Amino acid sequence: MKNRTMASSRPSTARKDTGPTQRGQCSKRVSILDAAANVFCREGFSGASIDEIAIEACVSRQTIYNHYREKETLFVAVIEDVMERANAALFSTLSTFPDKPDNLQRDLSEFAIRLTTNCICNQDGKFLRRLVQTEGERYPHLFEGWRQQGPCKISTTLGALFAKLSHRGALRIDDFDLAARQFLALVNADLQMIYLFGGKPTEDELKSAADNAVDTFLRAYGPRERENSAPPAPILVAVS
Amino acid sequence: MKNRTMASSRPSTARKDTGPTQRGQCSKRVSILDAAANVFCREGFSGASIDEIAIEACVSRQTIYNHYREKETLFVAVIEDVMERANAALFSTLSTFPDKPDNLQRDLSEFAIRLTTNCICNQDGKFLRRLVQTEGERYPHLFEGWRQQGPCKISTTLGALFAKLSHRGALRIDDFDLAARQFLALVNADLQMIYLFGGKPTEDELKSAADNAVDTFLRAYGPRERENSAPPAPILVAVS
DNA sequence: GTAAAATTAGACACTATTGTCTAAAACGTC
DNA sequence: GACGTTTTAGACAATAGTGTCTAATTTTAC
């Protein structure tokens, strides 16, 4: 028997009960969705076989066909499941943005680490990077909603948060959405290659990437009186 | 009959003649490699069928098996072909870096546009993004050489170029490789989502992305006396 | 023009996969 | 413990793909 080798980032909240029954069957549905996510992520849509998913989910093949009429139905269900979870994680993490930073440099860096850890480096993030890229053109409508609610919204939401800091004098930004996109880009600058090869950055790599990003971000958008590289005394931006 | 629908970015240079003969056969090899690249890119390795490639290359299936013993051999050949071309384009473009900038802002922006146009937005770039991500874990050794010679080298090469500018006082950079990675990240900040969905940015989008990137890059790393955006009286923090 | 080489279409065996069907077993509820 | 539901294993037809083989045809080289 094969256990789930790669734990999904599924939270323990109750799930939609659109299945045959509510209780014992629900866990089957979860098993299937998790296993299918892993296999689809590893093999792509056409490379994944229902049998492989069944084995990985410790479920008979027929059970999969009972729950999801055909392969494509299952695929769509998996995508929607992962997207929903990913967006939830995204906004949950966004809510931890340092509105009233004690130490802007440190607080932004820690926020960046949370962002990468919870939203980009986890299994769901990897799944979406892969599947959106390979199947995005084939199922345009499927991912459109996620794009609107996720990546597109994150720029404006994060932009609004930067705007607040800006109005309080902690940052000097003209175009908030642009600054948000650039913040995200800088955070991932050192990690792109790791993502591309399906790897997972170490904690040290994450911290260093975040520090580098915030450093440069503040060089560009920080308050004017900020020193530029290695000032001995940290400048505390304490705005009411 | 179906013509090649998507022109490859193949240059008209002579090709390695490792095939059965040199002349007429060479063009068949090229047709096959181009068609296979398109189909693999569109369908992934397991989704691509030899028949489909044969039709798209206007070649009989048997001819493909004559040149490349089996599907995987063809796949590896395609990968190597694309990687070689992509790296060539990369370093060819790097050689147009503005060593002696007339107008740093403008010259860097135009350089950034060349970089995205010639190396990232073309068919080879799309192919590599997709295939490295989906098959990179399955064929680690295959892509390792490309990573060493391409993406890894570009940071250090571009970093060295920034170092030159820095020593001449045009930039103020501590970590040149990091600045190079961040430059690339900023250039792609506005384009990531387009890439992810397999799209191609318009010329306007490319220009705007480049301008935004260079703007922020220079805010962070530009010479100290640089104006920052629209403050009436710039406050110069003159620290020796 | 001729000979060698390459290409082609078609048939072929083999394998893998999808999706259906059935009867037996396990499960949960009352 | 009996009932209805869900799950299971296995067989099954249908389809699609890989890789081989052959004989005819075309292309290329000399």
Side-chain angles (χ1 to χ4, degrees), chain A residues 136-210:
Chain A
E137 279 177 297
R138 210 185 304 273
Y139 302 87
H141 64 291
L142 180 55
F143 296 99
E144 190 51 29
W146 165 75
R147 204 189 58 156
Q148 303 273 337
Q149 299 304 316
C152 286
K153 222 169 181 178
I154 195 185
S155 309
T156 62
T157 308
L158 186 56
L161 292 166
F162 280 142
K164 269 206 244 176
L165 287 186
S166 213
H167 292 139
R168 300 164 77 205
L171 293 174
R172 287 179 314 107
I173 296 176
D174 315 308
D175 183 334
F176 303 115
D177 285 14
L178 173 63
R181 290 196 300 275
Q182 290 181 332
F183 179 80
L184 296 171
L186 286 171
V187 168
N188 292 305
D190 292 343
L191 307 173
Q192 293 283 17
M193 206 47 53
I194 300 176
Y195 298 154
L196 192 58
F197 281 87
K200 207 168 188 165
T202 64
E203 284 201 16
D204 286 352
E205 286 171 326
L206 282 182
K207 168 134 183 54
S208 143

Side-chain angles (χ1 to χ4, degrees), chain A residues 130 137 181-182 190 216, chain B residues 130 137 181-182 190 216:
Chain A
R130 267 198 196 177
E137 279 177 297
R181 290 196 300 275
Q182 290 181 332
D190 292 343
T216 299
Chain B
R130 266 197 198 180
E137 279 178 296
R181 289 196 301 274
Q182 291 181 331
D190 291 343
T216 300

Side-chain angles (χ1 to χ4, degrees), chain A residues 124-137:
Chain A
D124 288 342
K126 179 173 176 178
F127 177 94
L128 283 177
R129 276 195 300 282
R130 267 198 196 177
L131 273 295
V132 172
Q133 185 148 99
T134 54
E135 313 292 343
E137 279 177 297

